C-alpha cells in the first residue's frame, strides 16, 4: 500500500502564534483515520492546510507523493481531496439535485460549464447519489428547506459526487441526534471501503464506532500520540491532555494496577458494587492518605476502563518486588469472590508470564487464603 | 415517478409558451404600436429608458446572481457610448477633423480614433472594449479575493478615475464638453432626424429582447447555478473544485459589455455623451433600478428601470426639488421594506394572497416548508384516505 | 530639496483631512463591516456647522470671533455624531449582515442630506418637526398598548399617511410667510472665514506654511491621540475592541453590542464632523463638499486594512503625499534632472494635474492590492476569512 498523504515538519504560525507546530503525519491509502484533540489543538487548521485554505509557514504536504504547497483550493480539490465542513455548507438557494449536479460536473472550466450540457453519466450518478443519501423525495426541494441532518447528508453526497480519493470530514456528528449520528457513522464506514478518510471528531462514542484502525491525537499543534483506540485511550499523556492532569501515581504503579484490574475484568461482567470494592481495594494499595484514596478511586475508574492484553503489560514490570506485589494484588482480587473458570485461566496465564518461583507463589496464595478464611 | 416527470415537463412547456406569447405581445406593443401613438420626443425618452434597462440587466447579472455590487457600471456604459459617438464624429469628408480638435490646436487625429472610422469595427468595439475593461478590472480585483464592500468601493473609485480621465483630456476626447452626436450623420442620415431616431428605438427594443434572452440562457443552466452558488458560499465552490475567479471575471466582463451596448444606444438617443455619464450618482442609480424591480429576476431589472425612470421624468419635470428626496427615500424603502423588489414581492407574497382570494389555491395552514415537504404531503393524503 | 519638503508638507496636510475622515470610517467598518456612503455628507454637516457657529460669533466682535473655531469643532462633532446616531438607530441597525444593502441605504441618506442642505428653510424644518412629533410621538404613546406587537403594522399604516398629511397641510398653511420660505443655505457655496490667527503662515526655507494647514495637522494629531486613548484605555474602547474581534462571544459575555454599535457609529460620524470643520478652513463649503473627499477616504480604508489604527494612518498620509507629489508635478520636476529617467518623467508630467493624479494613485492602489489584498495590516488566523 502506498502513502496517500504525508506531512512533514509542518508549521503554521499566525502572527507568531503557532497553530501547528512541527507536525508529522502520514496515512496509508484506503485508511480511515480519526483525529481527536482538545479545543485549539489545531485540528481545523490541519484540514485548512491540506485543502490549501491556509499556506504552511514551514514544511511539506505530500498528497499521493506530490507536494501540494502553493496550490489554490480548487486545484487541490480537483486533485482529489474533498472536504466537509463542520456546519453543513450547501447552496441554500439551489435544489438538492442542482446541488449534486454542480459538484458532479466533470469539467469545471468556465467555458465547458457554460456551453456543455450535463452528460448522461453524470445524470445517472446524481440519481444514484440521491438514493444513497435518501433524499429522492426532496430532489426538487430547495436546500434551504432541508433539516440539519438532511443537509449533513446532502453535503456528504456532494462530497462523494466529487469522487475524491481522500475525504476530509470535520465533526460530522456535531448537532445530530443519536440516531442520525449512527447513520452518519454507518455512511462513513461504507464510504471508507472505497475512499481514504480523515475524520475529525469530539464525540468519543462516535469515534469508537468508526475508528477501526488508527487514531491520531493532536495537541498544541503537533501529534501527541498515534495508535489504536485502546492504546490512545490509555496513554497517560492523552489522559492528561483531555482530563487536564496526569495520574497521581507513577507509571509503574499504574502498570501494576492495570494487571490487577485485568484479573477483575477477566470474567467480563460484574456488578457496579463489585467494581467499587475492587477499586477501593486497589486505591488503598497505592494511596498516600485517605483523601488521596478517594480521588484515586475516581481516577482509576477512567483509567482502568479498558482491557489491555497481559502480554503487553507484564514485560513492563521491572523488579522482582513489583512482580510479587502484582501477584499478591491479583490473587487477592480473584479470591474476593468464588474463583470461576475464566478467572482461573487468566490467572494461570499471569503466573506463566510472571515466571516466579513456584514456592513463592504458593506462599503468597497461602497467606491470602488465610486472610480470607 | 415517470408520470410526475411528464407532468412537470408539460407544465414547463406550457409556461414557456405563455412566456413567449407575452414577449411577442410586448414587442408588438413597444415596437409597432407605441411609435405610432407617441410623439417623437416621448418616443425618444422611452427609447432612452429601454436602453437603460439593458444596463440594468447587466447589473442584475453581476449583482443579483453573482452577489457582487458594482458601483462603477457608468464606466462601461460611457465607453460604449464614446465608441459609437466617435464613429459618428468621424463621418466627415476625407482629411477633415472633428471640429473640436481645431479648438485645442490638434492637427493630427489621435491614434486611437482611427479604428472607429469603420462601422463594423465600431460595433464590435462598443461591445468588446467595455467587456475587456470590465474583465481586466475584475481580474485584478477578484484574483486577490477582494469581494463584498471592498469590491463596491473599488469600482466606485475606478469610476471616479475614469471620470477624471475623460474630463481632463480635452485634446484626446474633448474633455468636459463631450461628444455631440445629434448634429452628426450615420449612413448619411442626420442622427437627430425622426427616421434615424425611430430606427434607434426599434433597435433598442430588439436589443432589450436579445439581451434578455441571452441573460436567461446564461442564468438558466449550470453556469447560472454556479453564479448563485458563488453568491451564496464562495468557499464551498472552491472546495468543490471550481475556480470562482474565472467565473466572476467572465460575468463581470459580460455585464460590462452589456452596459456598453446600452451606453451606445442611450447616447444616440440622448444626442450627446459627456463624462457626466460617469458621475458617481448615475452609477448608483442604476443599481436601484434593479433593486426596485427585484434582484435575480431578469424581468425585474427591466420593470424596475421603466418604473423608476418614468417616475423620475414626471417628478423632476414638475418638482425638481422633490426628486432627490424621493430618490433617497426610494433607496431606503426598497432596501428595508422590499428587499426582493417588486417582482420578489409579487412572487413571494402578493401572488399567493391573490390566488387565495381568487380561490386558485388552498390556504396554507402551517409553514410553507412543511406544506411543500413531499413526505408530509404523502402522510396527510394517507390520513385522509383512512378517514374515509 | 525645499520643493520636496513643501510637497511633503502639503501632502501631509491633505492626508490629515483624509485621515480624520477615514478614521471614523475605518473604526465603523472594522466593527460592523459597514461602509457608510453618507460619511461625506456627515463631513458636510460638520462644515456647515462651522459656518453657522461662525455666523453666530460674528456680531460679538473681535476677541470672541477669534475663538469661534475652537467652539465649532466640538459642536461639529456633536452635530455629526447625533446625525450618525439617528442614522444607525433608524436605518443601519436593521441591515446588519447585509453590507451591500447598507451601502445603498446610506447612499439614499446621502442624497437626502444633500438635498436637505440645499432646500432647508423654516417651512421645511417646521414640517419635519410636526411630522416627527406626530409620528414618533404617536408610536411611543401607542407602544404602551398591551397588544403592541399585533397592532404595530396597522399603527404604522395609519399613522404614517396621517402625520404626513398633517405636516403637508401645515406646510401649505404657513407657506405664505416669506420669512419661512427663505432657504437657510441654498444650493450656493458658503464661505468660512478663518479667524485672524489662522491666516498667513510661517516661512520655512523658501515656501510658506499656512497656519490653517498647520492647524489641521495639529487637529489630526489630537484626534488620533484621543481615538487611540479611547480605544485602548477606556472601558468602552475595550468593549468596542472586543466586539470587533468576536461579536457573538462579546454578546454572550454581556457586552451590550447594540449600544457599542451605536456608540461607535456616533463617534465615527463625529470624527467626520471634525473633518468637515477642518475642510471648511481650506475652501468654500457646498452641498457636494463631502463627495469630493469621500472616494479618497474609502481608498484609505481599503489600503489601510481593518482593525489597525496604524494602517489607516500610513494609508491616509501615504495617499495624501503621493497624490500631491504627482498632482503638483513635484515628482516630475525632481526627477527631470536625471536624464535617464526621461520616459518616466513624461509619464509623470501627463498625470501632473490634481484630477489626473487620482488616476495614477488609483493605478498604484490596484497594484498595491495585488501584493497585499487585505491592506497594510491584514487580520490573520482562522477568523480572518469570516
Amino acid at each position: 500500500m502506498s502513502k496517500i498523504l504525508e506531512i512533514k515538519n509542518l508549521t503554521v504560525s499566525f502572527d507568531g502564534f503557532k497553530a501547528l507546530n512541527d507536525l508529522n503525519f502520514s496515512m496509508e491509502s484506503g485508511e480511515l483515520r480519526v483525529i481527536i484533540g482538545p479545543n485549539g489543538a489545531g485540528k481545523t487548521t490541519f484540514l485548512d492546510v491540506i485543502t490549501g485554505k491556509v499556506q504552511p509557514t514551514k514544511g511539506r504536504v505530500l498528497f499521493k507523493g506530490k507536494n501540494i504547497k502553493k496550490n489554490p483550493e480548487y486545484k487541490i480539490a480537483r486533485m482529489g481531496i474533498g472536504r466537509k465542513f463542520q456546519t453543513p455548507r450547501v447552496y441554500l438557494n439551489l435544489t438538492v439535485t442542482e446541488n449534486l449536479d454542480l459538484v458532479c460536473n466533470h469539467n469545471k472550466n468556465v467555458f465547458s460549464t457554460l456551453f456543455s450540457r450535463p452528460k448522461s453519466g453524470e445524470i445517472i450518478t446524481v440519481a444514484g447519489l440521491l438514493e444513497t443519501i435518501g433524499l429522492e423525495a426532496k430532489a426538487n426541494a430547495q436546500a434551504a428547506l432541508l433539516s440539519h441532518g438532511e443537509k449533513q447528508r446532502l453535503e456528504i453526497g456532494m462530497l462523494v459526487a466529487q469522487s475524491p480519493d481522500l475525504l476530509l470530514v470535520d465533526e460530522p456528528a456535531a448537532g445530530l441526534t443519536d440516531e442520525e449520528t449512527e447513520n452518519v457513522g454507518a455512511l462513513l464506514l461504507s464510504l471508507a471501503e472505497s475512499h481514504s478518510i480523515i475524520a475529525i471528531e469530539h464525540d468519543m462514542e462516535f469515534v469508537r464506532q468508526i475508528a477501526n484502525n488508527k487514531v491520531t491525537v493532536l495537541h498544541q499543534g503537533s501529534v501527541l500520540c498515534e495508535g489504536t483506540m485502546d492504546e490512545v485511550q490509555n496513554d497517560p499523556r492523552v489522559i492528561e491532555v483531555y482530563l487536564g492532569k496526569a495520574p497521581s501515581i507513577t507509571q509503574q504503579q499504574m502498570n501494576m494496577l492495570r494487571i490487577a484490574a485485568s484479573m477483575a475484568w477477566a470474567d467480563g461482567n460484574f456488578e457496579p458494587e463489585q467494581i467499587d470494592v475492587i477499586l477501593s481495594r486497589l486505591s488503598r494499595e497505592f494511596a498516600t492518605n485517605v483523601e488521596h484514596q478517594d480521588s484515586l478511586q475516581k481516577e482509576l475508574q477512567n483509567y482502568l476502563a479498558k482491557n489491555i492484553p497481559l502480554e503487553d503489560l507484564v514485560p513492563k514490570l521491572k523488579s522482582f518486588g513489583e512482580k510479587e506485589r502484582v501477584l499478591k494484588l491479583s490473587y487477592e482480587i480473584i479470591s474476593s469472590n468464588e474463583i470461576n473458570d475464566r478467572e482461573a485461566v487468566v490467572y494461570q496465564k499471569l503466573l506463566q508470564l510472571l515466571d516466579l518461583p513456584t514456592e513463592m507463589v504458593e506462599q503468597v496464595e497461602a497467606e491470602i487464603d488465610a486472610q480470607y478464611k | 415517478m415517470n408520470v410526475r416527470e411528464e407532468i412537470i415537463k408539460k407544465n414547463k412547456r406550457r409556461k414557456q409558451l405563455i412566456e413567449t406569447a407575452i414577449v411577442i405581445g410586448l414587442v408588438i406593443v413597444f415596437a409597432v404600436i407605441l411609435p405610432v401613438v407617441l410623439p417623437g420626443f416621448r418616443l425618444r425618452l422611452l427609447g432612452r429608458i429601454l436602453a437603460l434597462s439593458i444596463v440594468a440587466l447587466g447589473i442584475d447579472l453581476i449583482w443579483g446572481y453573482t452577489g457582487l455590487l458594482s458601483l462603477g457600471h457608468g464606466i462601461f456604459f460611457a465607453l460604449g457610448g464614446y465608441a459609437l459617438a466617435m464613429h459618428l464624429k468621424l463621418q466627415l469628408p476625407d482629411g477633415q477633423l472633428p471640429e473640436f480638435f481645431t479648438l485645442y490646436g490638434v492637427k493630427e487625429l489621435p491614434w486611437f480614433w482611427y479604428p472607429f472610422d469603420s462601422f463594423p469595427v465600431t460595433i464590435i468595439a462598443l461591445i468588446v472594449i467595455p467587456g475587456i475593461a470590465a474583465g481586466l478590472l475584475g481580474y485584478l480585483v477578484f484574483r486577490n479575493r477582494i469581494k463584498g464592500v471592498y469590491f463596491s468601493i473599488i469600482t466606485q473609485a475606478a469610476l471616479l478615475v475614469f471620470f477624471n480621465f475623460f474630463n481632463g483630456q480635452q485634446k484626446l476626447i474633448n474633455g468636459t464638453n463631450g461628444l455631440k452626436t445629434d448634429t452628426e450623420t450615420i449612413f448619411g442620415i442626420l442622427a437627430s432626424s425622426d427616421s434615424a431616431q425611430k430606427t434607434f428605438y426599434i433597435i433598442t427594443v430588439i436589443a432589450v429582447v436579445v439581451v434578455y434572452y441571452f441573460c436567461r440562457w446564461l442564468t438558466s443552466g449550470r453556469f447560472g447555478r454556479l453564479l448563485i452558488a458563488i453568491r451564496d458560499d464562495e468557499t464551498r465552490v472552491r472546495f468543490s473544485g471550481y475556480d470562482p475567479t474565472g467565473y466572476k471575471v467572465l460575468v463581470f466582463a459580460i455585464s460590462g459589455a452589456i452596459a456598453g451596448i446600452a451606453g451606445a444606444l442611450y447616447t444616440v438617443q440622448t444626442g450627446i455623451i459627456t463624462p457626466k455619464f460617469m458621475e458617481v450618482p448615475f452609477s448608483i442609480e442604476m443599481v436601484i433600478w434593479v433593486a426596485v424591480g427585484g434582484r435575480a429576476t431578469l424581468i425585474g431589472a427591466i420593470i424596475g428601470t421603466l418604473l423608476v425612470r418614468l417616475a423620475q421624468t414626471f417628478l423632476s419635470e414638475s418638482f425638481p426639488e422633490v426628486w432627490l428626496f424621493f430618490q433617497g427615500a426610494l433607496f431606503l424603502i426598497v432596501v428595508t421594506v422590499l428587499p426582493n423588489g417588486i417582482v420578489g414581492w409579487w412572487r413571494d407574497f402578493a401572488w399567493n394572497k391573490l390566488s387565495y382570494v381568487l380561490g386558485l389555491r388552498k390556504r396554507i395552514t402551517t409553514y410553507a416548508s412543511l406544506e411543500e415537504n413531499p413526505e408530509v404531503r404523502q402522510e396527510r393524503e394517507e390520513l385522509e384516505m383512512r378517514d374515509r | 530639496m525645499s520643493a520636496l519638503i513643501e510637497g511633503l508638507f502639503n501632502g501631509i496636510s491633505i492626508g490629515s483631512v483624509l485621515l480624520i475622515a477615514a478614521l471614523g470610517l475605518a473604526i465603523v467598518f472594522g466593527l460592523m463591516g459597514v461602509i457608510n456612503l453618507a460619511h461625506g455628507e456627515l463631513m458636510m454637516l460638520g462644515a456647515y456647522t462651522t459656518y453657522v457657529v461662525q455666523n453666530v460669533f460674528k456680531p460679538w466682535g473681535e476677541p470672541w470671533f477669534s475663538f469661534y473655531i475652537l467652539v465649532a469643532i466640538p459642536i461639529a462633532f456633536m452635530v455629526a455624531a447625533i446625525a450618525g446616531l439617528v442614522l444607525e438607530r433608524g436605518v443601519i441597525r436593521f441591515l446588519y449582515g447585509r453590507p451591500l444593502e447598507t451601502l445603498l441605504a446610506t447612499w439614499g441618506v446621502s442624497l437626502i442630506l444633500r438635498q436637505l442642505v440645499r432646500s432647508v428653510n423654516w417651512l421645511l424644518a417646521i414640517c419635519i418637526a410636526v411630522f416627527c412629533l406626530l409620528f414618533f410621538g404617536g408610536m411611543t404613546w401607542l407602544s404602551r398598548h398591551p397588544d403592541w406587537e399585533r397592532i404595530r403594522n396597522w399603527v404604522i399604516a395609519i399613522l404614517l399617511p396621517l402625520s404626513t398629511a398633517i405636516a403637508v397641510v401645515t406646510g401649505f398653511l404657513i407657506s405664505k410667510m416669506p420669512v419661512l420660505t427663505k432657504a437657510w443655505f441654498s444650493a450656493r457655496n458658503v464661505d468660512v472665514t478663518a479667524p485672524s490667527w489662522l491666516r498667513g503662515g510661517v516661512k520655512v526655507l523658501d515656501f510658506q506654511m499656512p497656519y490653517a494647514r498647520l492647524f489641521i495637522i495639529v487637529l489630526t494629531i489630537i484626534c488620533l491621540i484621543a481615538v487611540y486613548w479611547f480605544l485602548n484605555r477606556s472601558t468602552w474602547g475595550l468593549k468596542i475592541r472586543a466586539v470587533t474581534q468576536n461579536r457573538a462571544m462579546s454578546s454572550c459575555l454581556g457586552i451590550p453590542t447594540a449600544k457599542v454599535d451605536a456608540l461607535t457609529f456616533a463617534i465615527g460620524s463625529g470624527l467626520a464632523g471634525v473633518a468637515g470643520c477642518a475642510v471648511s478652513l481650506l475652501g468654500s463649503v457646498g452641498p457636494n463638499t463631502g463627495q469630493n473627499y469621500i472616494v479618497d477616504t474609502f481608498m484609505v480604508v481599503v489600503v489601510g486594512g481593518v482593525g489597525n489604527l496604524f494602517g489607516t494612518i500610513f494609508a491616509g498620509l501615504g495617499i495624501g503625499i503621493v497624490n500631491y507629489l504627482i498632482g503638483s508635478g513635484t515628482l516630475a520636476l525632481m526627477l527631470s534632472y536625471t536624464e535617464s529617467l526621461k520616459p518616466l518623467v513624461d509619464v509623470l508630467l501627463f498625470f501632473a494635474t490634481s484630477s489626473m493624479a487620482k488616476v495614477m494613485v488609483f493605478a498604484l492602489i490596484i497594484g498595491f492590492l495585488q501584493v497585499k489584498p487585505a491592506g497594510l495590516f491584514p487580520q490573520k488566523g482562522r477568523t480572518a476569512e469570516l
Side-chain angles (χ1 to χ4, degrees):
Chain A
M1 273 207 288
S2 62
K3 294 246 186 294
I4 188 156
L5 186 71
E6 231 182 327
I7 290 172
K8 288 176 187 160
N9 309 99
L10 184 69
T11 300
V12 172
S13 69
F14 298 123
D15 282 335
F17 166 72
K18 284 183 175 165
L20 292 180
N21 189 4
D22 202 25
L23 182 136
N24 286 291
F25 177 89
S26 82
M27 183 177 154
E28 306 288 330
S29 154
E31 202 179 322
L32 191 164
R33 178 74 68 92
V34 182
I35 296 182
I36 57 175
N39 282 325
K43 297 177 305 250
T44 304
T45 310
F46 179 70
L47 291 195
D48 282 350
V49 172
I50 299 176
T51 49
K53 196 174 165 204
V54 169
Q55 286 300 324
T57 318
K58 240 178 23 204
R60 291 195 301 166
V61 179
L62 302 173
F63 174 65
K64 293 196 273 192
K66 266 198 302 193
N67 195 346
I68 60 170
K69 197 178 171 179
K70 289 264 158 76
N71 273 319
E73 293 101 320
Y74 72 94
K75 275 196 184 148
I76 292 175
R78 286 184 196 173
M79 280 177 181
I81 296 183
R83 175 172 183 180
K84 197 203 152 305
F85 289 89
Q86 206 162 327
T87 46
R89 284 174 93 161
V90 295
Y91 307 121
L92 297 178
N93 284 312
L94 300 177
T95 67
V96 173
T97 319
E98 287 169 347
N99 262 295
L100 289 172
D101 175 70
L102 260 193
V103 190
C104 202
N105 185 4
H106 266 297
N107 199 339
K108 286 169 176 161
N109 289 327
V110 179
F111 289 102
S112 61
T113 309
L114 182 54
F115 292 111
S116 71
R117 299 188 60 79
K119 292 179 191 61
S120 60
E122 289 165 8
I123 295 173
I124 293 167
T125 316
V126 169
L129 274 172
L130 276 176
E131 202 174 346
T132 316
I133 57 175
L135 289 176
E136 282 164 301
K138 298 192 170 179
N140 290 317
Q142 268 203 349
L145 301 177
L146 299 182
S147 72
H148 183 77
E150 285 168 335
K151 280 181 198 153
Q152 206 79 290
R153 272 185 284 160
L154 173 58
E155 198 184 9
I156 293 178
M158 285 162 72
L159 219 63
V160 178
Q162 217 175 312
S163 60
D165 302 312
L166 175 63
L167 281 173
L168 307 176
V169 191
D170 198 347
E171 295 200 22
L176 296 184
T177 62
D178 287 353
E179 195 194 338
E180 283 173 324
T181 307
E182 220 175 296
N183 285 340
V184 169
L187 187 57
L188 277 183
L189 282 175
S190 70
L191 286 178
E193 286 162 15
S194 47
H195 301 82
S196 314
I197 300 181
I198 293 181
I200 283 184
E201 192 46 70
H202 262 312
D203 180 350
M204 281 304 158
E205 271 307 309
F206 185 67
V207 173
R208 229 166 264 142
Q209 185 195 346
I210 60 171
N212 52 11
N213 198 342
K214 262 195 195 168
V215 174
T216 302
V217 186
L218 287 191
H219 179 55
Q220 293 182 344
S222 34
V223 174
L224 185 71
C225 77
E226 213 168 62
T228 64
M229 189 66 199
D230 290 342
E231 284 166 14
V232 162
Q233 263 196 323
N234 285 294
D235 191 300
R237 287 169 305 171
V238 176
I239 294 161
E240 185 187 347
V241 172
Y242 262 95
L243 300 177
K245 59 176 183 208
S248 55
I249 50 177
T250 66
Q251 191 119 36
Q252 284 304 321
Q253 288 174 324
M254 178 64 84
N255 198 28
M256 287 189 256
L257 277 176
R258 285 229 162 88
I259 298 173
S262 61
M263 291 297 113
W265 277 207
D267 58 353
N269 60 339
F270 41 49
E271 313 287 299
E273 304 88 59
Q274 221 175 330
I275 298 181
D276 278 348
V277 172
I278 292 167
L279 286 178
S280 82
R281 169 70 193 87
L282 288 176
S283 48
R284 201 182 322 142
E285 183 74 24
F286 292 105
T288 43
N289 56 34
V290 183
E291 277 157 39
H292 185 205
Q293 189 190 325
D294 269 2
S295 64
L296 189 60
Q297 189 173 339
K298 281 190 196 106
E299 246 179 76
L300 291 180
Q301 251 166 1
N302 287 319
Y303 298 149
L304 302 183
K306 271 289 155 180
N307 202 352
I308 303 174
L310 284 173
E311 289 88 338
D312 294 347
L313 292 170
V314 178
K316 286 185 192 156
L317 294 174
K318 295 229 174 68
S319 65
F320 195 71
E322 278 178 11
K323 286 186 180 177
E324 194 188 342
R325 206 162 168 195
V326 165
L327 180 65
K328 257 190 200 163
L329 271 173
S330 307
Y331 191 68
E332 212 178 311
I333 284 172
I334 54 169
S335 50
S336 63
N337 55 345
E338 284 294 295
I339 301 178
N340 61 29
D341 288 350
R342 261 188 282 176
E343 280 176 343
V345 171
V346 178
Y347 182 65
Q348 286 309 317
K349 195 165 143 198
L350 176 69
L351 286 183
Q352 215 177 343
L353 287 164
L354 283 173
D355 199 22
L356 290 165
T358 328
E359 54 270 31
M360 196 181 147
V361 176
E362 278 169 1
Q363 194 193 337
V364 168
E365 286 180 357
E367 264 174 33
I368 293 171
D369 282 343
Q371 232 177 60
Y372 274 82
K373 273 157 194 168
Chain B
M1 201 65 191
N2 266 336
V3 180
R4 221 175 109 193
E5 263 168 24
E6 248 167 49
I7 293 172
I8 291 173
K9 251 185 197 165
K10 227 180 189 173
N11 276 339
K12 218 174 163 187
R13 214 173 299 144
R14 210 176 59 187
K15 260 190 181 167
Q16 268 173 351
L17 264 176
I18 295 174
E19 203 194 302
T20 322
I22 292 176
V23 170
I24 291 174
L26 283 176
V27 168
I28 290 174
V29 169
F30 272 92
V32 181
I33 301 177
L34 285 180
V36 182
V37 180
L38 288 179
F41 79 100
R42 287 279 175 212
L43 193 70
R44 225 173 136 162
L45 181 77
L46 188 63
R48 284 213 295 274
I49 296 178
L50 284 176
L52 292 177
S53 71
I54 299 177
V55 207
L57 282 172
I59 288 183
D60 201 8
L61 217 50
I62 186 84
W63 183 39
Y65 285 90
T66 324
L68 299 160
L69 177 62
S70 159
L71 299 181
H73 258 55
I75 301 172
F76 317 120
F77 186 79
L79 283 177
Y82 268 106
L84 190 56
M86 279 158 78
H87 173 70
L88 287 173
K89 278 279 172 207
L90 289 177
Q91 303 306 303
L92 296 165
D94 272 348
Q96 227 172 310
L97 288 185
E99 84 280 19
F100 70 87
F101 278 125
T102 51
L103 286 177
Y104 307 115
V106 179
K107 296 273 156 34
E108 181 88 12
L109 198 63
W111 56 270
F112 64 90
W113 277 72
Y114 284 105
F116 293 97
D117 201 19
S118 121
F119 184 70
V121 171
T122 306
I123 293 300
I124 294 170
L126 69 84
I127 299 173
V128 170
I129 290 178
I132 289 177
L136 199 66
L137 180 65
Y139 175 72
L140 289 175
V141 174
F142 297 139
R143 95 191 181 97
N144 296 307
R145 304 197 181 165
I146 293 169
K147 54 184 177 186
V149 182
Y150 267 41
F151 173 72
S152 303
I153 57 182
I154 285 176
T155 50
Q156 193 181 40
L159 179 72
L160 194 77
V161 158
F162 269 81
F163 173 77
N164 278 329
F165 187 86
F166 277 78
N167 217 16
Q169 299 303 322
Q170 271 93 0
K171 290 181 181 180
L172 297 178
I173 201 93
N174 201 18
T176 325
N177 302 324
L179 305 176
K180 212 164 159 94
T181 59
D182 254 1
T183 48
E184 308 299 330
T185 57
I186 182 162
F187 294 119
I189 305 167
L190 190 67
S192 60
S193 67
D194 262 3
S195 58
Q197 286 299 326
K198 215 163 250 182
T199 319
F200 291 145
Y201 174 79
I202 302 288
I203 292 173
T204 309
V205 173
I206 294 170
V208 171
V209 175
V210 169
V211 171
Y212 172 74
Y213 272 105
F214 176 69
C215 292
R216 270 285 291 270
W217 172 71
L218 272 183
T219 53
S220 57
R222 254 185 195 164
F223 186 79
R225 294 200 285 272
L226 195 82
L227 297 186
I228 294 176
I230 290 175
R231 180 187 74 191
D232 289 353
D233 194 342
E234 192 176 333
T235 315
R236 189 87 193 81
V237 170
R238 261 196 211 109
F239 286 121
S240 304
Y242 289 99
D243 178 16
T245 310
Y247 289 88
K248 288 180 356 187
V249 169
L250 182 68
V251 172
F252 196 45
I254 290 176
S255 172
I258 290 174
I261 299 173
L265 290 169
Y266 187 79
T267 300
V268 285
Q269 294 181 81
T270 310
I272 189 168
I273 174 130
T274 69
K276 275 201 160 50
F277 284 35
M278 288 189 270
E279 278 184 339
V280 170
F282 185 52
S283 289
I284 303 186
E285 212 193 308
M286 293 175 184
V287 175
I288 206 66
W289 303 332
V290 180
V292 168
R295 265 175 296 162
T297 57
L298 293 169
I299 196 70
I302 300 176
I303 293 176
T305 315
L306 288 175
L307 284 180
V308 177
R309 268 277 148 169
L310 286 174
Q312 177 172 4
T313 317
F314 293 123
L315 272 177
S316 57
E317 266 172 18
S318 33
F319 323 94
E321 282 206 344
V322 182
W323 168 243
L324 266 188
F325 280 130
F326 179 76
Q327 201 187 9
L330 195 64
F331 272 95
L332 286 175
I333 291 169
V334 164
V335 164
T336 48
V337 184
L338 269 185
N340 289 321
I342 293 172
V343 173
W345 171 77
W346 173 257
R347 185 189 54 202
D348 301 339
F349 183 75
W351 171 242
N352 286 345
K353 274 265 156 98
L354 199 69
S355 51
Y356 301 140
V357 174
L358 298 178
L360 290 177
R361 220 195 303 182
K362 262 199 282 181
R363 195 175 281 273
I364 288 178
T365 41
T366 58
Y367 298 103
S369 61
L370 209 59
E371 292 285 329
E372 310 257 299
N373 191 332
E375 283 165 19
V376 173
R377 220 182 269 171
Q378 197 187 345
E379 219 164 79
R380 187 174 290 173
E381 273 164 25
E382 278 168 15
L383 279 175
E384 277 168 11
M385 292 278 271
R386 208 183 302 159
D387 283 347
R388 272 174 227 153
Chain C
M1 189 58 205
S2 89
L4 182 66
I5 292 178
E6 185 181 358
L8 279 179
F9 172 75
N10 284 324
I12 288 173
S13 81
I14 292 173
S16 301
V17 177
L18 288 183
L19 186 49
I20 311 184
L23 208 56
L25 208 59
I27 298 171
V28 171
F29 185 54
L31 183 81
M32 312 191 254
V34 158
I35 284 279
N36 179 9
L37 280 185
H39 203 72
E41 276 55 48
L42 294 170
M43 276 173 81
M44 175 201 70
L45 281 187
Y48 271 96
T49 309
T50 315
Y51 171 73
V52 170
V53 171
Q54 172 210 257
N55 284 354
V56 169
F57 271 68
K58 225 172 218 163
W60 296 3
E62 222 354 278
W64 298 105
F65 185 68
S66 301
F67 298 105
Y68 85 85
I69 194 81
L70 300 181
V71 181
I73 291 170
I75 294 181
F77 182 89
M78 289 308 294
V79 168
I82 289 169
L85 196 66
V86 171
L87 175 60
E88 202 272 344
R89 289 284 89 186
V91 181
I92 293 176
R93 165 165 78 110
F94 302 109
L95 297 172
Y96 280 138
R98 293 157 62 197
L100 298 182
E101 273 98 331
T102 316
L103 216 58
L104 294 180
T106 50
W107 175 255
V109 172
S110 133
L111 287 180
I112 291 175
L113 282 177
R114 255 181 278 164
Q115 186 59 38
L116 192 70
V117 167
R118 281 194 201 109
S119 54
V120 68
N121 48 26
W122 282 111
L123 181 69
L124 193 62
I126 290 170
C127 288
I128 293 173
V130 167
F131 174 80
C132 288
L133 193 72
L134 288 176
F135 182 69
F136 293 106
M139 291 282 278
T140 334
W141 185 61
L142 281 169
S143 66
R144 289 196 212 116
H145 197 277
D147 256 4
W148 175 237
E149 286 306 319
R150 203 171 51 80
I151 59 168
R152 192 165 167 272
N153 284 337
W154 285 106
V155 169
I156 293 176
I158 296 168
L159 219 47
L160 193 65
L162 201 66
S163 20
T164 315
I166 295 176
V168 169
V169 169
T170 320
F172 270 114
L173 287 180
I174 58 175
S175 67
K176 295 289 175 291
M177 285 181 263
V179 193
L180 294 181
T181 49
K182 188 172 172 293
W184 292 358
F185 309 110
S186 84
R188 268 176 313 172
N189 285 6
V190 294
D191 278 309
V192 172
T193 25
S196 52
W197 54 279
L198 280 180
R199 283 175 233 147
V202 57
K203 212 167 162 71
V204 177
L205 295 173
D206 51 354
F207 74 96
Q208 188 92 348
M209 273 191 189
Y211 285 129
R213 287 187 179 272
L214 283 173
F215 177 75
I216 291 172
I217 294 174
V218 172
L219 185 64
T220 309
I221 294 171
I222 293 171
C223 282
L224 274 175
I225 292 170
V227 167
Y228 184 83
W229 177 87
F230 178 75
L231 284 180
N232 290 295
R233 295 281 180 274
S234 71
T235 352
W236 279 102
L238 182 67
K239 285 176 185 170
I240 290 173
R241 281 183 295 142
V243 178
T244 308
Q245 297 259 318
N246 190 335
R247 176 172 290 268
M249 194 66 224
S250 310
S251 176
C252 290
L253 291 175
I255 295 174
T257 50
K259 262 188 205 162
V260 168
D261 287 339
L263 178 78
T264 314
F265 204 88
I267 289 173
S269 309
L271 285 170
V274 175
C277 195
V279 163
S280 70
L281 292 176
L282 295 177
S284 59
V285 174
N288 287 327
T289 299
Q291 288 298 306
N292 302 333
Y293 290 88
I294 194 67
V295 175
D296 284 339
T297 315
F298 290 156
M299 287 301 104
V300 172
V301 176
V302 169
V303 173
V306 214
N308 196 323
L309 226 52
F310 293 104
T312 315
I313 296 174
F314 282 126
L317 296 183
I319 289 180
I321 291 170
V322 173
N323 218 330
Y324 186 81
L325 287 184
I326 295 174
S328 65
T330 315
L331 207 58
L333 193 73
M334 274 162 37
L335 295 175
S336 63
Y337 302 117
T338 326
E339 198 53 42
S340 55
L341 291 173
K342 187 86 177 55
L344 183 65
V345 171
D346 283 344
V347 172
L348 285 173
L349 276 177
F350 183 73
F351 287 104
T353 63
S354 63
S355 63
M356 288 304 285
K358 289 199 168 139
V359 179
M360 183 88 173
V361 169
F362 179 73
L364 290 176
I365 288 172
I366 292 289
F368 168 80
L369 289 179
Q370 304 305 308
V371 191
K372 282 198 154 274
L376 282 169
F377 296 101
Q379 286 181 320
K380 281 187 184 162
R382 247 170 69 188
T383 47
E385 274 279 304
L386 314 168

